Amino acid sequence: MLDVKFKLLPGHTSERSWLEPAPLSVIYWNVTYACNYHCTICFADAGAGLPDELSTVEALRLVDHAADCGVKDIIISGGEPFARPDLVEILARMGQRGVTARVATNGSLIDADLLKRLRDDTEVTSFQVSIDCLDPELYATLHGTEPAMLGHVLRTLRLMQQNGFHTTVSTRLAPATLPGMPGLMDRALQEGWSTLTVHVPVHTRRAEGAFAQDADSLSALEPVFEHFARLPGRWLVETYIPWAQYHPLMVRLARKIRIVHRGCRAGRDRLAVHPDGTISPCVCMDVPQARLGNVRRDDLADLFENSPLCQLLRHPLEHGLCEDCPHVLTCGGGCRAAAVALTGRFGGQDLSCPVQQMRAAVSEAAGRGQ
């Protein structure tokens, strides 16, 4: 997932090389594709649940297996995870096994009673709530719901804070959402939300109204970066984009904003599990090209260590990725989800990379000059 996190309040970060060898420690788990919203941009193409989603018994078995494999953190998403009626039971099992839970949600199905159960019976530490904007009409259009739901979700965020949960909000980058991001950032500062996360949509599923996959998303966000730099209270920016540190804007902004580039850990310390048990390296890639196996029959640790796709992610040069680029050992060969969206191949070229785009422009100009 291509993210930029504007962190308003001090918390955790790490500046260690994200390409360093690491054990499997994190699972992204889309627990269902059922959702009461129908967002125009959706990494999972959610709406109706799959007919063969993991049963409660299978889901609890997955939690136990992940814990046995050394997983310490499971990030729960969907669809809308709270559309799954046994979610609290699953989260409680995670706590019993010493696995931290973080939940990404639209917030619409959460009330005070549910938050109390989560506080008392689980080890959920934080929520990331998809807001996208502060305009009720635009919110309704983007999420496929009623305008009044925005007010409900904003009240839910306050309830989360009152119950002691770490709260962040997210927005998906699109021409419709970009103008409102500075105001959303101001609201985050006012309300005490710790982070505003901007998701750059990957075009492997629904991406209606998003910028093109190879658009210069970081340059589009320049007004948002500049607004963050002017805030009276802020901490730092984290990018989860493999090539971000080589973007000219990031180089310039680093003079006035602390920027930490955390790259992409897909297949490097984490895997994704989809509702029917399918395993892939990345939560944005529930596509045939990226399927490693299925938790119903396969071992997570074995797939992480030995699958060809994870090997490609950890050793890009050995598989011919960006072999003529001097940055490949620190970039890792770009975003594989973007490569799938642009070329149809897991091992294709990430043409959204600014270094590749600049090299292609230079080569084209040289060709015209001959």
Side-chain angles (χ1 to χ4, degrees), residues 30-50 53 77-85 104-109 130 139 142-145 149 172 206 275:
N30 287 333
V31 294
T32 182
Y33 280 164
C35 190
N36 58 324
Y37 283 9
H38 190 83
C39 299
T40 56
I41 296 171
C42 180
F43 305 119
D45 199 17
L50 298 179
E53 293 185 350
S77 188
E80 171 46 48
F82 288 101
R84 186 168 175 132
T105 173
N106 63 35
S108 65
L109 301 180
S130 175
Y139 178 91
L142 295 173
H143 291 261
T145 187
M149 286 306 301
R172 288 159 282 202
R206 287 204 305 264

Coordinates of all heavy atoms in Angstrom, one line a residue, residues 30-50 53 77-85 104-109 130 139 142-145 149 172 206 275:
N30 N -7.6 -9.0 5.7 CA -8.9 -8.5 5.3 C -9.9 -9.6 5.7 O -10.0 -10.7 5.1 CB -9.0 -8.3 3.8 CG -8.3 -7.1 3.3 OD1 -8.1 -6.1 4.0 ND2 -7.8 -7.1 2.1
V31 N -10.6 -9.4 6.8 CA -11.4 -10.5 7.4 C -12.7 -10.8 6.7 O -13.2 -11.8 6.8 CB -11.7 -10.2 8.9 CG1 -10.4 -10.2 9.7 CG2 -12.4 -8.9 9.1
T32 N -13.2 -9.8 5.9 CA -14.4 -10.0 5.1 C -14.4 -8.9 4.0 O -13.7 -7.9 4.1 CB -15.6 -9.8 5.9 OG1 -16.8 -10.1 5.1 CG2 -15.8 -8.5 6.5
Y33 N -15.0 -9.3 2.9 CA -15.3 -8.3 1.8 C -16.7 -7.7 1.9 O -17.1 -6.8 1.1 CB -15.0 -8.9 0.4 CG -13.6 -8.9 0.0 CD1 -13.2 -9.7 -1.0 CD2 -12.6 -8.2 0.7 CE1 -11.8 -9.8 -1.4 CE2 -11.3 -8.3 0.4 CZ -10.9 -9.1 -0.7 OH -9.6 -9.2 -1.0
A34 N -17.4 -8.1 3.0 CA -18.7 -7.5 3.2 C -18.5 -6.0 3.7 O -17.6 -5.8 4.4 CB -19.5 -8.3 4.3
C35 N -19.4 -5.1 3.2 CA -19.2 -3.7 3.6 C -20.6 -3.0 3.4 O -21.3 -3.3 2.4 CB -18.1 -3.0 2.8 SG -17.7 -1.4 3.4
N36 N -20.9 -2.2 4.3 CA -22.1 -1.4 4.2 C -22.0 -0.1 3.4 O -22.9 0.6 3.2 CB -22.7 -1.1 5.6 CG -21.7 -0.3 6.5 OD1 -20.4 -0.5 6.4 ND2 -22.1 0.6 7.3
Y37 N -20.7 0.2 3.0 CA -20.4 1.3 2.1 C -20.1 0.7 0.7 O -19.9 -0.5 0.6 CB -19.2 2.1 2.6 CG -19.5 3.1 3.8 CD1 -20.7 3.1 4.5 CD2 -18.5 3.9 4.1 CE1 -20.9 3.9 5.5 CE2 -18.7 4.8 5.2 CZ -19.9 4.8 5.9 OH -20.0 5.7 6.9
H38 N -20.1 1.6 -0.3 CA -19.6 1.2 -1.6 C -18.7 2.4 -2.1 O -19.2 3.3 -2.9 CB -20.8 1.0 -2.6 CG -20.3 0.4 -3.8 ND1 -20.1 -1.0 -4.0 CD2 -19.9 0.9 -5.0 CE1 -19.6 -1.3 -5.2 NE2 -19.6 -0.1 -5.9
C39 N -17.5 2.4 -1.6 CA -16.6 3.5 -1.9 C -16.2 3.5 -3.4 O -16.0 2.4 -4.0 CB -15.3 3.5 -1.1 SG -15.7 3.6 0.7
T40 N -16.0 4.6 -4.0 CA -15.6 4.7 -5.4 C -14.2 4.2 -5.6 O -13.8 3.7 -6.6 CB -15.7 6.1 -6.0 OG1 -15.0 7.0 -5.1 CG2 -17.2 6.6 -6.0
I41 N -13.4 4.4 -4.5 CA -12.0 3.8 -4.5 C -12.0 2.8 -3.4 O -12.2 3.1 -2.2 CB -10.9 4.9 -4.2 CG1 -10.9 6.0 -5.3 CG2 -9.6 4.3 -4.0 CD1 -10.1 7.2 -5.0
C42 N -11.7 1.6 -3.7 CA -11.6 0.5 -2.7 C -10.5 -0.5 -3.2 O -10.6 -1.1 -4.2 CB -13.0 -0.2 -2.6 SG -13.0 -1.6 -1.4
F43 N -9.5 -0.7 -2.3 CA -8.4 -1.6 -2.6 C -8.9 -3.0 -2.7 O -8.2 -3.9 -3.3 CB -7.4 -1.5 -1.5 CG -6.9 -0.1 -1.3 CD1 -7.0 0.5 -0.1 CD2 -6.3 0.6 -2.3 CE1 -6.5 1.8 0.1 CE2 -5.8 1.9 -2.2 CZ -6.0 2.5 -0.9
A44 N -10.1 -3.3 -2.1 CA -10.6 -4.7 -2.0 C -11.8 -5.0 -2.9 O -12.2 -6.1 -3.0 CB -10.9 -5.1 -0.6
D45 N -12.3 -4.0 -3.6 CA -13.6 -4.1 -4.3 C -14.7 -4.7 -3.4 O -15.4 -5.6 -3.8 CB -13.3 -5.0 -5.6 CG -14.4 -4.8 -6.6 OD1 -15.1 -3.8 -6.6 OD2 -14.5 -5.7 -7.5
A46 N -14.8 -4.1 -2.2 CA -15.7 -4.7 -1.2 C -17.2 -4.3 -1.5 O -17.5 -3.4 -2.3 CB -15.3 -4.2 0.1
G47 N -18.0 -5.1 -0.9 CA -19.5 -4.9 -1.0 C -20.2 -6.1 -0.4 O -20.6 -6.1 0.7
A48 N -20.2 -7.1 -1.2 CA -20.7 -8.4 -0.8 C -19.6 -9.3 -0.3 O -18.5 -9.2 -0.8 CB -21.5 -9.1 -1.9
G49 N -19.9 -10.0 0.8 CA -18.8 -11.0 1.3 C -18.7 -12.1 0.3 O -19.6 -12.4 -0.5
L50 N -17.5 -12.7 0.3 CA -17.2 -13.9 -0.6 C -18.0 -15.1 0.0 O -18.2 -15.2 1.2 CB -15.7 -14.2 -0.6 CG -14.8 -13.1 -1.2 CD1 -13.4 -13.6 -1.1 CD2 -15.2 -12.7 -2.6
E53 N -15.7 -17.3 2.6 CA -14.8 -16.6 3.6 C -14.5 -17.6 4.8 O -15.3 -18.4 5.1 CB -15.4 -15.3 4.1 CG -15.5 -14.3 2.9 CD -16.0 -12.9 3.4 OE1 -16.5 -12.8 4.5 OE2 -15.9 -12.0 2.5
S77 N -8.6 -5.4 8.5 CA -9.3 -4.5 7.6 C -10.4 -5.3 6.9 O -10.7 -6.4 7.3 CB -8.3 -3.9 6.6 OG -8.9 -2.9 5.9
G78 N -10.9 -4.8 5.8 CA -11.9 -5.5 5.0 C -11.9 -5.0 3.6 O -10.8 -4.7 3.1
G79 N -13.1 -4.9 3.0 CA -14.4 -4.6 3.5 C -14.5 -3.8 4.8 O -13.6 -3.2 5.2
E80 N -15.6 -3.9 5.5 CA -15.8 -3.3 6.8 C -15.7 -4.5 7.8 O -16.6 -5.3 7.9 CB -17.1 -2.6 6.9 CG -17.5 -2.2 8.3 CD -16.4 -1.5 9.0 OE1 -15.7 -0.6 8.4 OE2 -16.1 -1.8 10.2
P81 N -14.6 -4.5 8.6 CA -14.4 -5.7 9.5 C -15.5 -5.9 10.5 O -15.8 -7.0 10.8 CB -13.1 -5.3 10.2 CG -12.8 -3.9 9.9 CD -13.5 -3.6 8.6
F82 N -16.2 -4.8 10.9 CA -17.3 -5.0 11.9 C -18.6 -5.5 11.2 O -19.5 -5.7 11.9 CB -17.5 -3.7 12.7 CG -16.3 -3.5 13.7 CD1 -15.4 -2.5 13.3 CD2 -16.3 -4.2 14.8 CE1 -14.3 -2.3 14.2 CE2 -15.2 -4.0 15.7 CZ -14.2 -3.0 15.4
A83 N -18.5 -5.7 9.9 CA -19.7 -6.4 9.3 C -19.6 -7.9 9.6 O -20.5 -8.6 9.3 CB -19.6 -6.2 7.8
R84 N -18.5 -8.3 10.1 CA -18.3 -9.7 10.5 C -18.7 -9.9 11.9 O -18.1 -9.4 12.8 CB -16.8 -10.1 10.3 CG -16.6 -11.6 10.5 CD -15.2 -12.1 10.1 NE -15.1 -13.5 10.5 CZ -14.7 -14.4 9.7 NH1 -14.3 -14.2 8.5 NH2 -14.7 -15.7 10.2
P85 N -19.8 -10.7 12.2 CA -20.4 -10.8 13.5 C -19.5 -11.4 14.6 O -19.7 -11.2 15.8 CB -21.7 -11.6 13.3 CG -21.5 -12.3 12.0 CD -20.6 -11.5 11.2
A104 N -8.6 -1.2 10.9 CA -8.9 -0.1 9.9 C -10.4 -0.3 9.6 O -10.9 -1.4 9.2 CB -8.1 -0.3 8.6
T105 N -11.2 0.8 9.7 CA -12.6 0.7 9.6 C -13.2 2.0 9.1 O -12.6 3.0 9.1 CB -13.2 0.4 11.1 OG1 -14.6 0.5 11.0 CG2 -12.7 1.5 12.1
N106 N -14.5 1.9 8.6 CA -15.2 3.1 8.2 C -15.8 3.8 9.4 O -16.3 4.9 9.3 CB -16.1 2.9 7.0 CG -17.3 2.0 7.4 OD1 -17.8 1.9 8.5 ND2 -17.7 1.2 6.4
G107 N -15.9 3.1 10.5 CA -16.4 3.6 11.8 C -17.9 3.7 11.9 O -18.4 4.0 13.0
S108 N -18.6 3.3 10.9 CA -20.1 3.5 10.9 C -20.8 2.5 11.8 O -22.0 2.7 12.2 CB -20.6 3.4 9.5 OG -20.4 2.1 8.9
L109 N -20.2 1.3 12.0 CA -20.9 0.2 12.8 C -20.5 0.2 14.2 O -20.9 -0.8 14.9 CB -20.7 -1.1 12.1 CG -21.2 -1.2 10.6 CD1 -20.8 -2.6 10.1 CD2 -22.6 -0.9 10.5
S130 N -11.5 5.7 8.0 CA -11.5 6.3 6.7 C -12.5 7.5 6.7 O -13.7 7.3 6.9 CB -11.9 5.3 5.7 OG -12.1 5.9 4.4
Y139 N -18.6 13.3 1.1 CA -18.4 12.1 1.9 C -19.4 11.0 1.4 O -19.0 9.8 1.2 CB -18.6 12.3 3.4 CG -18.4 11.1 4.3 CD1 -17.2 10.8 4.8 CD2 -19.6 10.4 4.6 CE1 -17.1 9.6 5.6 CE2 -19.5 9.2 5.4 CZ -18.2 8.9 5.9 OH -18.1 7.8 6.8
L142 N -18.4 9.8 -2.1 CA -17.2 8.9 -2.1 C -17.4 7.6 -1.5 O -16.8 6.6 -1.9 CB -16.0 9.7 -1.4 CG -15.5 11.0 -2.0 CD1 -14.5 11.6 -1.0 CD2 -14.8 10.7 -3.3
H143 N -18.3 7.5 -0.4 CA -18.4 6.3 0.3 C -19.7 5.5 0.0 O -19.9 4.4 0.5 CB -18.5 6.6 1.8 CG -17.2 7.1 2.4 ND1 -16.3 6.3 3.1 CD2 -16.5 8.3 2.3 CE1 -15.2 6.9 3.4 NE2 -15.3 8.2 3.0
G144 N -20.6 6.1 -0.9 CA -21.8 5.4 -1.2 C -22.7 5.2 -0.1 O -23.3 4.1 0.2
T145 N -22.9 6.3 0.7 CA -23.7 6.2 1.9 C -24.5 7.6 2.0 O -24.5 8.4 1.1 CB -22.9 6.0 3.2 OG1 -23.8 5.7 4.3 CG2 -21.9 7.1 3.5
M149 N -23.9 10.2 7.8 CA -23.0 9.3 8.3 C -21.7 9.9 8.7 O -21.0 9.4 9.6 CB -22.7 8.1 7.3 CG -23.9 7.1 7.2 SD -24.4 6.4 8.8 CE -22.9 5.6 9.4
R172 N -8.1 9.0 0.8 CA -7.5 8.5 -0.4 C -7.3 9.6 -1.4 O -8.2 10.5 -1.6 CB -8.5 7.4 -1.0 CG -8.5 6.1 -0.2 CD -9.7 5.3 -0.4 NE -10.9 5.8 0.3 CZ -12.0 5.1 0.6 NH1 -12.0 3.9 0.3 NH2 -13.0 5.7 1.3
R206 N -11.0 -1.3 -7.4 CA -11.8 0.0 -7.7 C -10.9 1.2 -7.5 O -10.3 1.4 -6.4 CB -13.0 0.1 -6.8 CG -14.1 -0.9 -7.2 CD -15.5 -0.4 -6.8 NE -15.6 -0.1 -5.4 CZ -16.1 -0.9 -4.4 NH1 -16.5 -2.1 -4.7 NH2 -16.3 -0.5 -3.2
P275 N -10.1 -12.6 2.7 CA -11.2 -13.2 3.4 C -11.4 -14.7 3.2 O -11.8 -15.4 4.1 CB -12.4 -12.5 2.8 CG -11.9 -11.1 2.5 CD -10.5 -11.4 1.9

